[in-house]
Amino acid sequence: MAKLRWGMIGGGEGSQIGPAHRLGAQADGLFEFAAGALDHRPEAGREYAQRLGVAADRAYGGWQEMLAGEKDRADRIDLVTIATPNSTHFEIAKAYLEAGFNVLCEKPMTMTVEEGEEIVRVAEASGKICAVNYCYSAYPMVRQARAMVRSGEIGQVRLVVTNFSHGHHGDATDADNPRVRWRYDPAMAGVSGQFADCGIHALHMASFICDDEVKTLSADMASTIASRELEDDAMINFRMEGGTVGRLWTSSVAIGRQHGFDIQVFGETGGLRWASEQPNQLIYTPVGGRTQIIEKGEGGLHDEVQRLSRVAIAHPEGFPLAVANIYCDLADAIRGESRDGLPNAADGVRSIAAVHAAVASGKADGAWQDARPPMFR
Ligand code: NAI
């Protein structure tokens, strides 16, 4: 089968997420890296793209130049990844969808709920895929957790508890470092700091595993380092459409926690636990029974999990290969296969609506808010 052609915007040399996309897109031989506008500095972007093997005439100086260069080519790209800073996602995603390209957008998909709803509508009208990179949902054992919930193995879910709390911005003497400071500055980051950056991964994961959507929430948002305008810590209580009770803690000042993303799902007949720092294991406890460790690669896992595991049992399959699983699903979806579980623009706008609801709740002493975007109420 011919490889699909892939282009990337952002993710330039030294960026945080760029390497995971390049490894992920190319891990399974499904995509060829055909075009790029990788850097906000045109020359640096052109030069780096060529060093990575992109042809000179498709190593572009900016996303508009890439759109103009690609849209009329017979061999135009089949998919574009947007891995630029958050405030640019909306404009770029909209322009590429309108020009008929499939898009994988980094989270958060947009800055406002209105923009998010517009992306949902534009994607629908274009008939193209707009996926959002909630890549943790593509770890094999997260897919196993979802499949176990769906098949009733832990019964009706009563409670979901999730954390995405690290300590990497906990040093007050480093708070003015420009790489850290912008995340808590509304002019750069929007209405929310830590919740929009990390908390939305945890919220998406809760919806993903429980196969349900967040309906209402109440939030306590705190800036524990006084110079920060936006929150560096948040505690969110939520309820899902199906009645499941949700708790979410996200923090960037939890010194000693490293990646710090984990989730526990408690059903009527069992409980599950998964943590991003031990991604190959899913901990399962049936009610009244012994706790078991389910390993990626062992027999008897759900089909969806086997499909997305590459190496044998006990060999670690880490973050870039979770991103690669998003690209596997995308390749199938681009070729017309339906791929349940691929995070999409609806997930993207649900997240940003939850962020805005949390900010409103935080300002109103935790008053409960509708967490859904108006289009899904
Ligand atoms: P970064 O600041 O490390 O890198 C951003 C890159 O985009 C740089 O190479 C920069 O030159 C380039 N860039 C900026 N504006 C551009 C433009 N207009 N055109 C082309 N290139 C441009 O940022 P980082 O941490 O890699 O984050 C990028 C995005 O990825 C953010 O939206 C972030 O939220 C998301 N992210 C997602 C993660 C995940 O787990 N899904 C993890 C880390 C980041």
Side-chain angles (χ1 to χ4, degrees):
M1 203 185 297
K3 285 190 183 187
L4 296 165
R5 287 175 291 272
W6 173 62
M8 187 175 189
I9 301 168
E13 190 161 28
S15 68
Q16 192 186 344
I17 199 67
H21 281 284
R22 284 188 285 280
L23 290 165
Q26 296 172 101
D28 297 281
L30 297 169
F31 290 91
E32 161 200 348
F33 190 11
L38 304 182
D39 204 288
H40 66 285
R41 299 160 301 168
E43 264 326 303
R46 285 194 193 100
E47 189 274 325
Y48 188 47
Q50 289 176 73
R51 228 181 321 132
L52 293 170
V54 173
D57 65 330
R58 299 178 87 175
Y60 298 100
W63 68 265
Q64 292 98 334
E65 187 186 311
M66 178 160 139
L67 184 59
E70 290 295 311
K71 73 178 170 20
D72 298 322
R73 289 182 76 108
D75 63 346
R76 72 188 213 153
I77 49 173
D78 298 292
L79 171 70
V80 63
T81 292
I82 302 167
T84 50
N86 304 351
S87 62
T88 63
H89 295 172
F90 170 67
E91 185 185 21
I92 304 175
K94 184 167 183 280
Y96 276 78
L97 286 166
E98 283 174 343
F101 291 94
N102 297 300
V103 167
L104 171 59
C105 185
E106 264 304 342
K107 46 56 60 177
M109 182 176 79
T110 59
M111 303 293 281
T112 69
V113 182
E114 294 73 24
E115 289 170 351
E117 292 195 336
E118 187 161 355
I119 292 293
V120 171
R121 283 191 289 268
V122 170
E124 263 167 26
S126 72
K128 294 292 157 185
I129 296 160
C130 182
V132 180
N133 195 32
Y134 289 114
C135 47
Y136 299 99
S137 66
Y139 272 105
M141 299 317 284
V142 172
R143 298 278 173 112
Q144 171 74 12
R146 173 178 164 100
M148 288 178 73
V149 168
R150 280 183 158 183
S151 62
E153 287 168 68
I154 63 166
Q156 182 72 32
V157 177
R158 291 176 175 143
L159 180 64
V160 57
V161 181
T162 183
N163 304 293
F164 197 155
S165 299
H166 63 78
H168 300 299
H169 303 154
D171 181 356
T173 63
D174 193 43
D176 263 346
N177 172 347
R179 287 197 70 120
V180 175
R181 195 182 52 214
W182 75 265
R183 295 169 188 276
Y184 305 97
D185 175 356
M188 304 281 284
V191 295
S192 160
Q194 175 64 11
F195 186 47
D197 191 30
C198 293
I200 58 171
H201 274 299
L203 200 70
H204 176 264
M205 175 83 78
S207 294
F208 184 83
I209 293 180
C210 297
D211 203 14
D212 199 353
E213 301 297 348
V214 176
K215 186 176 179 189
T216 55
L217 63 73
S218 156
D220 179 14
M221 317 280 267
S223 305
T224 66
I225 292 184
S227 60
R228 290 181 177 157
E229 207 169 320
L230 299 177
E231 87 287 353
D232 54 17
D233 186 281
M235 183 66 86
I236 318 279
N237 282 307
F238 58 95
R239 295 288 184 276
M240 307 194 88
E241 300 272 8
T244 298
V245 174
R247 320 269 185 218
L248 185 157
W249 172 46
T250 187
S251 185
S252 65
V253 294
I255 294 169
R257 286 181 66 112
Q258 295 301 332
H259 192 249
F261 184 10
D262 57 50
I263 187 161
Q264 289 185 271
V265 184
F266 303 103
E268 288 172 334
T269 61
L272 296 169
R273 178 174 192 273
W274 180 86
S276 69
E277 292 174 27
Q278 293 86 35
N280 297 324
Q281 285 94 33
L282 181 67
I283 313 297
Y284 167 54
T285 310
V287 65
R290 287 214 175 103
T291 294
Q292 304 164 27
I293 299 173
I294 307 177
E295 285 274 349
K296 179 195 71 67
E298 71 180 39
L301 301 180
H302 285 266
D303 290 348
E304 172 69 358
V305 185
Q306 303 294 12
R307 185 178 74 81
L308 295 175
S309 305
R310 297 166 188 77
V311 293
I313 189 164
H315 292 298
E317 235 171 284
F319 182 72
L321 290 185
V323 177
N325 289 343
I326 295 280
Y327 282 92
C328 287
D329 283 354
L330 271 166
D332 289 345
I334 290 168
R335 294 194 163 109
E337 219 174 297
S338 115
R339 269 289 159 233
D340 173 55
L342 180 62
N344 59 21
D347 297 307
V349 70
R350 282 185 189 280
S351 298
I352 201 70
V355 167
H356 283 263
V359 172
S361 173
K363 286 183 179 155
D365 285 338
W368 283 79
Q369 309 283 327
D370 196 325
R372 299 165 297 181
M375 71 183 340
F376 295 138
R377 284 181 189 171

